[in-house]
Amino acid sequence: MGTKLSFNHAHITIGICLTFCLVFIAGILRFIIDPKDQSRCQSMLNDGWWQDTNEYTRWQPAGCMMHTYKAPEISACLNHSRILYVGDSIAREQFFSFARLIRDDIETAGPKHVDRKFEFNDQRLVFEFWWDPYLNESRTIDMLKTSDPTIQPSLLVLGSGAWYMRYLGEDVFREDWQDAMDRVFDAVQRSSRVADAVILSPVEVPNFDLLSPDRVRTMSIDKVNSMNAYLNQKSNSITPLTPMTIPFVWNTVSSNAHNVTADGLHFTQPVTSMQVQLALNYRCNEQLPKHFPMDSTCCYHYPAPKWYQCVFFIAFLVWAPLGLYMSASEGRLSKLVQMAIPSESVLNALFIFGLGVIYMYFGDRTQLFGKAQKHFDPLVFTLFLLVTLAAGVLTLKVKKEGDQGFLNRDQTDEWKGWMQVIILIYHFLGASSVSGIYNPVRVLVAAYLFQTGYGHFFFFYKKADFGIGRVLNVMIRLNLLTFVLQYVMDTDYLSYYFTPLVSFWFFIIWTTMYVGHGSNKSGWFLLCKLFIAFATTTIIIHAPGVLEDLFSGLEFLFNIRWNASEWRFRLALDAYIVYVGMLSAYATIKFTEHRMHEHPWWHTAKKVSMAISAVLLFVYFVFELSVANKFIYNTIHPYISWLPILAFAFLRNATVKLRNTSSRFFIFFGRISLETFIGQFHMWLAGDTKGLLVVISHPRATHGLGWYFNLAVSSGLFVFVCYYLSQTTGELTRWLCSVITAAESRGTAQYHAVPLLPTTTTRQDPASTATASEPESGGVQGDTNVDDGLTDVTASPQGSKITSFFNDARVRTGIAVLAIGLLNNLC
């Protein structure tokens, strides 16, 4: 059986590796085949589709994510200057839509075939429209001829074609129109100062069913296609000095929208506004900030890697492979070189870990792969939840031996797993805008923190291991991937909010349990410590200025720029659930110690608690659905999140069979929950979580059924990478802990699986994993003679005091943290 599983695992690994190769090769070929589209600008200007086919507010360009511009950004981009439209009534309607982006109440009524002008003094912008449907008036010709304009437009938009078809004869319209277009092409080839950027509108494809009889007689699809073919051929054959484009996608925008034109020729604002936004993305996206978050990827060149990013690339792609090669020749290496090369298993782990991180870099910091905007669909969301439920049910397993215990290891892994899958679906589909979904997902995050409080309290109370080795195990395992990503992806540590949250609360739990740990078995003393910790964290979170002063100090010392308001919001949402978890762990311990389950009234109490739990869950869902919006719910959530969490925990453990039953599918995801939560930011999602990663190179890869195909491929790659990141992070954690605590003789640097961290996939003796809080077998340590790892320094008998000092793992840890902080000043 084991051989068969290994055989299947090997085939899956080979298949996914081949998929990786194909995906990367296809992405590289796109650059070779279409070298002019390295910024995804041509993709945006030539193809796309409406994501919402009713309201027409969301447009998906092919392979990239649009930016929606508002007045301040428009003003900054266009240099507080002049925007000039020249053309016919089609161009005029777009001109009006553009001006309404600056001020919605502009007056557009009045004579039609005249010039228009709007001055926006606050933005220092001037919008002009010249009525010239043939683009042949003297001022237009003079403007195109001049090489030194008095006021160079920041954006020049020209549109013509409809009047040529409508009012000129069949024998002359094409030649005259072509002469007008050639004047534009000649101008941008001759001079670099026609405008900052020129947009030549394609000939519009009308809605022929709505055209008047006179227009139907003179306009035809053959004429339009012929004229646009000429524009396409001409634009591909020139090398303009003035940046110029022809957004043929404007016709796709209008032709795919229904009921947005009354006469078949002039489209209303949903269409013209989107055409303007596309023009602004072409003109302005390259001026967007080149730093996190990078959530607008059309017409955008990512910044070149910085020095610290290159350091990581060298470590992953040079040092690790070179070390593996050199380790094969260990006998021929000097001792100094051998000291610089860790073990083969560590180098393997570093190389595989690095490949995963580099995949994220290529996914979210280059144009190798496309990006797509999220779009919430309630039917798709429901379908995904049903598929997830079916996968969980079909992989159920039952342990028949004994009682696995309350919140046992498999059960907590399963709990983390199904929560993580729901959160992934929630993020992928952009469901945060739906309050009825957002609210329960907030409870899922709170449930993770509940397990943090429950598991770590249980460990510290039962094991009484407060040593530096334990702290390093947890903190490095939690933060290694996040630490690397904040530099490789050039992001903000707090943006990966789950890792900072769990790290913060682990530190609070450790401090609370360590102070006076010799008296932890005294109930009143322990409860007083919890109350003091509760009061302290409440002050830290809610008192004005505390976080601001702390973060100001970090910025001054270490160039760490964290947003205190955002962090206060994150902490405040779950400010109390960790203490509920700690109290629950304490109650569980006392329940077991006093053998309450053997009490005569236990069965009655259990039935009552199950009934109350079921009612609480029902009432919670009714309540959260009745709350007006998620902002109101956020103010209530910290005080009620513990109710559905405890209710679920009680119901999940109602019987021995339920406690002994778990889902392999959810357990698998539970064991890689940390990696999936952090990894999704850059290799399943994209645009720093604002969009989706498109690994299929075809420009319409996320249109129609292609969306599901891309989902299947990207999900397979995502889970595969997360699994190996989990395995390698564990190995690297063990190595880093051993390096820091090398001088200690107690061996506290040995890695322990801990609650809320991914566990190993090796099978363990059920007797030694009775609860999630006891990852290692062994009895409860006593209150006295506890070696906490913080009270002595182990040194060689002949060693000097200085050597002893620097051999102390606490000192090494402090020096490492300080060094990283100081180096951050160079980043």
Side-chain angles (χ1 to χ4, degrees):
M1 182 67 176
T3 304
K4 183 178 180 181
L5 288 174
S6 300
F7 180 78
N8 290 336
H9 178 76
H11 275 68
I12 292 172
T13 302
I14 293 172
I16 294 181
C17 288
L18 288 174
T19 303
F20 261 118
C21 293
L22 291 174
V23 163
F24 269 91
I25 290 171
I28 294 170
L29 284 176
R30 189 192 71 82
F31 280 90
I32 297 172
I33 295 171
D34 194 0
K36 293 183 178 180
D37 196 28
Q38 294 190 11
S39 66
R40 303 272 177 178
C41 210
Q42 292 304 312
S43 295
M44 180 197 76
L45 294 170
N46 286 286
D47 199 5
W49 53 90
W50 291 104
Q51 288 187 307
D52 55 342
T53 54
N54 294 320
E55 298 178 356
Y56 302 114
T57 58
R58 294 180 58 83
W59 178 260
Q60 173 61 65
C64 60
M65 297 166 58
M66 282 182 64
H67 187 80
T68 300
Y69 282 89
K70 294 184 168 60
E73 294 172 309
I74 296 171
S75 175
C77 165
L78 299 180
N79 305 316
H80 307 287
S81 185
R82 177 180 178 226
I83 293 86
L84 176 62
Y85 271 72
V86 183
D88 53 21
S89 56
I90 297 172
R92 183 190 62 218
E93 293 303 310
Q94 191 183 109
F95 167 79
F96 286 153
S97 287
F98 199 163
R100 288 191 187 101
L101 290 178
I102 308 301
R103 196 173 70 225
D104 191 52
D105 60 348
I106 61 168
E107 179 59 51
T108 60
K112 293 183 178 181
H113 300 164
V114 296
D115 296 345
R116 304 298 293 265
K117 184 176 182 179
F118 301 110
E119 295 187 15
F120 303 105
N121 295 326
D122 291 343
Q123 290 77 23
R124 290 183 288 163
L125 288 174
V126 176
F127 277 59
E128 286 188 75
F129 171 74
W130 292 354
W131 173 256
D132 184 3
Y134 296 108
L135 299 183
N136 64 352
E137 290 191 5
S138 58
R139 60 178 174 177
T140 302
I141 295 173
D142 291 342
M143 178 191 65
L144 293 174
K145 283 183 177 181
T146 183
S147 59
D148 188 18
T150 305
I151 304 177
Q152 180 175 322
S154 184
L155 180 64
L156 172 62
V157 182
L158 304 116
S160 181
W163 276 54
Y164 279 98
M165 290 187 287
R166 175 75 176 86
Y167 295 108
L168 298 187
E170 294 285 340
D171 53 341
V172 297
F173 91 90
R174 174 60 186 267
E175 183 179 350
D176 289 353
W177 170 83
Q178 194 166 303
D179 289 341
M181 297 301 102
D182 287 345
R183 280 194 295 270
V184 176
F185 287 118
D186 291 342
V188 298
Q189 288 183 95
R190 182 179 59 254
S191 171
S192 62
R193 301 200 59 197
V194 176
D196 291 348
V198 175
I199 296 179
L200 179 58
S201 174
V203 180
E204 182 183 84
V205 179
N207 185 332
F208 291 97
D209 293 335
L210 298 177
L211 290 179
S212 66
D214 289 340
R215 287 173 175 161
V216 168
R217 282 195 297 270
T218 55
M219 295 181 177
S220 70
I221 189 63
D222 290 337
K223 289 181 179 180
V224 172
N225 288 342
S226 174
M227 296 162 79
N228 282 328
Y230 176 79
L231 292 178
N232 186 42
Q233 176 268 323
K234 191 72 175 179
S235 65
N236 289 330
S237 65
I238 66 170
T239 305
L241 298 177
T242 297
M244 174 189 171
T245 192
I246 303 174
F248 292 101
V249 73
W250 282 0
N251 277 332
T252 311
V253 171
S254 59
S255 61
N256 288 347
H258 305 288
N259 301 318
V260 288
T261 174
D263 60 6
L265 194 62
H266 302 98
F267 289 85
T268 55
Q269 196 162 350
V271 167
T272 52
S273 294
M274 191 56 65
Q275 290 171 337
V276 169
Q277 288 292 347
L278 288 164
L280 285 169
N281 273 255
Y282 163 73
R283 172 64 179 84
C284 298
N285 277 11
E286 194 58 43
Q287 299 179 31
L288 291 173
K290 302 286 186 177
H291 58 70
F292 166 84
M294 302 182 194
D295 54 1
S296 302
T297 66
C298 298
C299 300
Y300 185 81
H301 289 90
Y302 285 96
K306 299 182 173 70
W307 71 266
Y308 47 86
Q309 294 170 295
C310 293
V311 168
F312 280 100
F313 296 153
I314 292 170
F316 296 147
L317 299 178
V318 178
W319 181 56
L322 187 61
L324 286 169
Y325 172 76
M326 297 177 70
S327 63
S329 307
E330 186 174 349
R332 296 186 296 239
L333 300 178
S334 66
K335 289 186 177 181
L336 184 62
V337 174
Q338 291 181 33
M339 289 176 61
I341 299 176
S343 67
E344 184 176 342
S345 62
V346 171
L347 290 169
N348 272 317
L350 181 64
F351 181 62
I352 295 171
F353 178 88
L355 290 179
V357 171
I358 289 171
Y359 173 55
M360 296 189 220
Y361 181 85
F362 276 110
D364 209 15
R365 288 296 179 269
T366 73
Q367 293 285 11
L368 183 66
F369 300 126
K371 319 292 188 294
Q373 292 150 186
K374 298 179 183 179
H375 176 60
F376 178 72
D377 187 327
L379 292 178
V380 175
F381 183 81
T382 304
L383 174 64
F384 283 10
L385 291 185
L386 292 175
V387 171
T388 298
L389 177 62
V393 171
L394 291 173
T395 56
L396 287 175
K397 65 174 183 177
V398 180
K399 291 185 177 180
K400 298 181 179 179
E401 63 277 7
D403 185 345
Q404 297 301 305
F406 182 78
L407 291 180
N408 59 76
R409 171 54 53 79
D410 279 352
Q411 187 184 129
T412 52
D413 281 342
E414 176 199 81
W415 191 358
K416 289 183 292 182
W418 67 257
M419 291 193 302
Q420 184 57 38
V421 173
I422 291 175
I423 290 173
L424 289 173
I425 295 171
Y426 165 86
H427 285 157
F428 193 84
L429 294 178
S432 61
S433 59
V434 183
S435 178
I437 299 174
Y438 169 89
N439 302 340
V441 169
R442 288 302 330 155
V443 173
L444 300 187
V445 176
Y448 274 104
L449 296 176
F450 169 85
Q451 289 191 47
T452 299
Y454 185 95
H456 288 304
F457 179 95
F458 211 122
F459 180 90
F460 288 130
Y461 187 91
K462 300 283 277 184
K463 302 291 185 181
D465 176 8
F466 304 97
I468 190 66
R470 171 68 179 181
V471 175
L472 288 174
N473 282 330
V474 175
M475 295 300 284
I476 293 177
R477 183 67 179 86
L478 271 174
N479 288 277
L480 182 59
L481 179 59
T482 304
F483 173 81
V484 172
L485 286 178
Q486 71 172 331
Y487 288 104
V488 171
M489 306 302 294
D490 205 14
T491 57
D492 181 355
Y493 173 74
L494 293 187
S495 66
Y496 307 95
Y497 65 91
F498 178 73
T499 298
L501 270 180
V502 178
S503 300
F504 171 84
W505 286 112
F506 170 77
F507 178 75
I508 296 298
I509 296 166
W510 176 83
T511 303
T512 303
M513 296 300 290
Y514 172 69
V515 174
H517 58 269
S519 302
N520 277 350
K521 296 303 168 69
S522 170
W524 285 109
F525 178 76
L526 187 60
L527 291 175
C528 285
K529 287 203 299 180
L530 290 176
F531 177 78
I532 293 171
F534 168 82
T536 303
T537 55
T538 301
I539 292 171
I540 292 172
I541 294 170
H542 294 288
V546 175
L547 287 176
E548 284 78 3
D549 291 343
L550 175 62
F551 287 4
S552 295
L554 290 174
E555 182 176 358
F556 176 76
L557 293 173
F558 304 125
N559 193 33
I560 295 174
R561 296 182 176 88
W562 289 345
N563 187 320
S565 299
E566 175 67 18
W567 188 229
R568 176 175 288 110
F569 167 74
R570 293 291 184 186
L571 287 174
L573 276 176
D574 300 300
Y576 314 120
I577 192 63
V578 172
Y579 295 105
V580 175
M582 296 171 72
L583 290 171
S584 298
Y586 186 62
T588 302
I589 292 169
K590 291 303 177 183
F591 180 91
T592 304
E593 288 180 355
H594 294 289
R595 306 181 71 85
M596 301 295 289
H597 60 283
E598 296 178 0
H599 200 281
W601 49 259
W602 166 241
H603 291 291
T604 301
K606 185 172 75 169
K607 291 179 181 178
V608 172
S609 66
M610 294 305 106
I612 293 174
S613 298
V615 171
L616 276 176
L617 275 180
F618 176 77
V619 170
Y620 168 78
F621 282 108
V622 171
F623 169 76
E624 68 93 2
L625 289 170
S626 68
V627 177
N629 57 61
K630 66 181 183 181
F631 304 105
I632 295 175
Y633 176 82
N634 282 340
T635 63
I636 307 167
H637 171 80
Y639 309 102
I640 65 171
S641 62
W642 62 277
L643 293 171
I645 291 171
L646 288 182
F648 170 79
F650 289 153
L651 292 172
R652 182 65 180 82
N653 291 272
T655 66
V656 173
K657 185 174 182 179
L658 283 174
R659 290 193 291 273
N660 289 5
T661 302
S662 54
S663 167
R664 294 184 181 90
F665 177 77
F666 292 134
I667 288 173
F668 172 80
F669 277 95
R671 289 175 175 172
I672 60 171
S673 57
L674 177 64
E675 284 69 32
T676 53
F677 197 98
I678 303 304
Q680 67 171 319
F681 283 58
H682 304 296
M683 61 172 165
W684 203 46
L685 307 178
D688 291 313
T689 76
K690 304 301 183 184
L692 309 177
L693 183 63
V694 182
V695 297
I696 308 300
S697 60
H698 193 278
R700 297 180 72 87
T702 56
H703 183 56
L705 293 177
W707 187 89
Y708 294 94
F709 180 63
N710 179 75
L711 169 65
V713 176
S714 66
S715 298
L717 300 178
F718 166 65
V719 174
F720 178 80
V721 173
C722 287
Y723 173 80
Y724 280 99
L725 283 174
S726 176
Q727 302 297 307
T728 55
T729 304
E731 177 67 30
L732 294 173
T733 298
R734 286 188 286 271
W735 172 59
L736 290 171
C737 288
S738 68
V739 169
I740 295 174
T741 61
E744 295 197 351
S745 61
R746 293 177 298 276
T748 55
Q750 180 184 356
Y751 177 74
H752 297 291
V754 294
L756 210 58
L757 295 184
T759 55
T760 62
T761 56
T762 56
R763 297 180 64 86
Q764 297 178 343
D765 179 9
S768 68
T769 57
T771 70
S773 309
E774 294 185 278
E776 305 295 329
S777 60
V780 179
Q781 297 183 14
D783 296 334
T784 60
N785 299 322
V786 174
D787 183 7
D788 59 23
L790 296 170
T791 56
D792 69 335
V793 176
T794 303
S796 170
Q798 289 79 28
S800 66
K801 290 184 179 180
I802 295 177
T803 302
S804 300
F805 178 78
F806 284 105
N807 280 340
D808 188 343
R810 295 165 297 172
V811 175
R812 292 186 177 196
T813 303
I815 292 174
V817 172
L818 181 62
I820 292 170
L822 293 175
L823 281 173
N824 198 68
N825 282 291
L826 302 177
C827 298

